[in-house]
Amino acid sequence: MRQEVPHAGGRRGAATASTAGRPGRVAKLPPRERILDAAEELFQSEGIRRVSVQAIAEKAATTKMAIYRHFETKDALVAEWMRIVAADYQAAFDRVEAEHPGRPREQIVSLARFIAEGLPALSHRGCPFINSLAELPDRSHPARQVIEEHKAHQTRRLVGMCAKAGLPDPRQAAAEITFVLEGAQVSTQNGSIDRAGERLMSIVEGIVDRHGSPLDAPRPAVG
């Protein structure tokens, strides 16, 4: 999941929100960051396969040789971009846990809200994970491996939240929530469902409230 999107929030959220003033801003970045910035923008707008290393070099105001000094192959560059996207999503987990300490149901709902608030951007650019998987059918591709490892880690964290929330079948609850979050992103991207964010929140709240009291009431300390 990511925001400026679910790609989003990100390391370069302000950078990718607008291209106004981009040349001056990019010129101040270190070479490796400049390459990643250019690659991110091009991969998001045009797709992985359509973007050449030469196009990235031109966007980054550098050379192909310079890119290969930092990234052995284009595949390695794509994988590093996916690690950045994944880190943004993991940061969302960290943030909701910090904002709602000891309140796992609130954490789950806040995580859903993070996705819901990023849905409008998806209607234009799509989810970078979904888009990338469609372009990378080879499961041995390093970027695909990054995505699969990230998704597995994300699922484990969500199962943990559901367990702490006292849901009787944490794995089933996490599966249902994942289906809703990812389904909402796809539905927004293809335009099939209206009010996707509102519906997403309603469904996730229904899942976490299906058992026990509604959202986290403060629990008395155990003496």
Side-chain angles (χ1 to χ4, degrees):
M1 315 170 224
R2 190 182 183 199
Q3 216 106 309
E4 174 206 303
V5 38
H7 154 46
R11 184 181 69 102
R12 294 182 297 279
T16 54
S18 171
T19 56
R22 185 181 188 280
R25 175 185 58 74
V26 171
K28 299 176 183 178
L29 295 175
R32 189 174 187 276
E33 290 293 296
R34 198 162 69 242
I35 293 165
L36 283 166
D37 183 276
E40 176 177 52
E41 186 167 326
L42 289 171
F43 291 154
Q44 278 281 68
S45 62
E46 300 182 25
I48 293 170
R49 296 299 184 191
R50 290 184 58 191
V51 174
S52 67
V53 174
Q54 181 60 42
I56 296 169
E58 292 173 1
K59 189 78 170 177
T62 188
T63 65
K64 289 174 64 175
M65 185 178 296
I67 290 176
Y68 287 126
R69 279 200 297 269
H70 293 280
F71 303 95
E72 186 176 350
T73 63
K74 179 185 173 184
D75 288 347
L77 175 55
V78 175
E80 184 60 21
W81 170 52
M82 283 290 95
R83 289 188 187 95
I84 292 168
V85 178
D88 286 343
Y89 280 97
Q90 294 303 330
F93 275 83
D94 295 339
R95 185 166 59 252
V96 300
E97 288 176 346
E99 290 174 350
H100 305 285
R103 297 170 67 87
R105 295 191 180 194
E106 292 285 4
Q107 293 169 8
I108 294 167
V109 171
S110 292
L111 191 64
R113 188 172 297 111
F114 166 79
I115 297 298
E117 290 175 352
L119 290 178
L122 289 180
S123 64
H124 303 292
R125 308 174 78 176
C127 171
F129 292 130
I130 295 169
N131 292 348
S132 298
L133 287 172
E135 292 198 74
L136 304 173
D138 182 1
R139 298 193 70 169
S140 67
H141 190 287
R144 187 175 179 110
Q145 291 177 344
V146 170
I147 295 171
E148 292 179 0
E149 290 168 5
H150 160 68
K151 289 295 186 179
H153 180 59
Q154 181 173 283
T155 298
R156 288 193 295 271
R157 291 191 75 170
L158 186 54
V159 170
M161 285 181 177
C162 291
K164 291 176 182 176
L167 303 185
D169 190 342
R171 290 187 179 279
Q172 177 64 22
E176 292 177 16
I177 292 167
T178 298
F179 291 156
V180 173
L181 298 182
E182 299 198 346
Q185 294 178 67
V186 174
S187 296
T188 298
Q189 189 170 347
N190 64 34
S192 60
I193 300 295
D194 67 341
R195 296 169 29 232
E198 179 184 335
R199 297 179 194 278
L200 180 159
M201 293 305 302
S202 176
I203 295 170
V204 171
E205 288 170 0
I207 293 170
V208 298
D209 288 340
R210 187 180 301 156
H211 307 279
S213 58
L215 292 184
D216 304 304
R219 294 178 176 81
V222 178

